[in-house]
Amino acid sequence: MDPALLREREAFKKRAMATPTVEKKNRTEKAPPPPSRDDSQKKMRPPTAPKLDASTYKTMSGSSQYRFGVLAKIVKFMRTRHQDGDDHPLSIEEILDETNQLDIGQSVKNWLSGEALHNNPKIDVTPDGTKFSFKPVYKIKDGKSLMRLLKQHDLKGLGGILLEDVQESLPHCEKVLKNRAAEILFIIRPIDKKKILFYNDRTANFSVDDEFQKLWRSATVDAMDDAKIDEYLEKQGIRSMQDHGLKKPVPKRKKAANKKRQFKKPRDNEHLADVLETYEDNTLTQKGANPT
């Protein structure tokens, strides 16, 4: 053989040995198909929570916010119903029907009828515990009952009544207040700007001199307590206020232990003591000599 060919053959083998090779698998094993574009997009999407529709949300029994939302809607409906003059009690089914809440869960319904409505201060329960009505602040139904309430507060010195409490308790409140405007005094409280109702006692009306009104308004005692007022009046020589107001309790003195009384002999006839003893002796002697 030609030596040049032998050299080329040896060089070829060296190059072949230096080059890495990959073995092919058998033709019977199928290679997995390349990932499609849709599969890659599915893997990239984050997992999403299941959608909640309105019916699914209303049946969630663990949501306390939802429960109290249902309760607040019921209380508001019962208040409006009472203000319109409807005060007959309703069952839980009738209340839910009127408030369009019949699709609530059974657990929420049991909570309303067994606990929430019974413990609510704005709801009154019938003796059998099956029906409910609104519980106002004052039990007044018309103008006469309102005036009786205001008179009682005036006689007992309880002050006025909040307008918002009257509006909540009295059906058709605006109409009644309009008809009784001459018998009621409206005062705005400066702290919170709320209106207070007082009974207008016409027997206490009297005219006050303008000069006295000016003097009264010029005297400011807001920053003074009773002790300072008494001190000022005493300096001015005014003692008419000393018997008014709260009296301070006077401590009681302890009584001394009762001792046996010792009767003392009279001291006026001490100079006749000897004469009296002689007289007594003679008297006894005579009685013994002349027995009866």
Side-chain angles (χ1 to χ4, degrees), residues 158-171:
L158 300 177
I161 300 173
L162 284 171
L163 175 61
E164 58 185 23
D165 291 342
V166 176
Q167 291 174 341
E168 183 180 282
S169 306
L170 181 61

Side-chain angles (χ1 to χ4, degrees), residues 104-255:
I104 65 173
Q106 187 63 33
S107 61
V108 179
K109 185 177 178 181
N110 295 337
W111 175 73
L112 288 171
S113 59
E115 179 183 353
L117 293 177
H118 284 267
N119 298 330
N120 194 288
K122 294 294 184 181
I123 299 297
D124 201 1
V125 188
T126 55
D128 57 358
T130 58
K131 292 189 176 182
F132 308 92
S133 60
F134 184 70
K135 186 178 182 180
V137 181
Y138 302 105
K139 293 184 178 180
I140 48 180
K141 296 182 178 181
D142 50 16
K144 293 182 179 179
S145 58
L146 173 62
M147 296 312 302
R148 282 197 299 268
L149 178 64
L150 291 174
K151 286 180 182 179
Q152 289 296 322
H153 274 246
D154 181 65
L155 291 174
K156 296 179 180 179
L158 300 177
I161 300 173
L162 284 171
L163 175 61
E164 58 185 23
D165 291 342
V166 176
Q167 291 174 341
E168 183 180 282
S169 306
L170 181 61
H172 311 292
C173 177
E174 300 300 330
K175 183 178 179 181
V176 174
L177 293 178
K178 185 177 181 181
N179 295 334
R180 300 279 180 171
E183 304 175 52
I184 301 174
L185 293 175
F186 292 87
I187 305 297
I188 298 177
R189 191 162 58 184
I191 300 174
D192 49 10
K193 305 301 181 181
K194 290 184 178 181
K195 288 187 177 181
I196 313 295
L197 275 64
F198 290 88
Y199 173 64
N200 187 10
D201 189 3
R202 296 182 180 179
T203 59
N205 293 340
F206 61 93
S207 58
V208 182
D209 188 61
D210 294 339
E211 185 178 355
F212 182 79
Q213 292 183 21
K214 292 178 181 179
L215 292 173
W216 178 266
R217 291 167 183 169
S218 63
T220 57
V221 293
D222 295 338
M224 301 176 67
D225 55 3
D226 293 341
K228 291 183 178 179
I229 294 175
D230 292 341
E231 183 181 355
Y232 174 79
L233 293 175
E234 188 175 354
K235 288 181 179 179
Q236 300 298 323
I238 302 173
R239 293 181 174 272
S240 61
M241 296 293 292
Q242 62 185 0
D243 295 332
H244 297 274
L246 297 175
K247 295 183 179 181
K248 297 180 180 179
V250 179
K252 295 182 179 179
R253 295 181 180 179
K254 294 183 179 180
K255 293 183 179 179

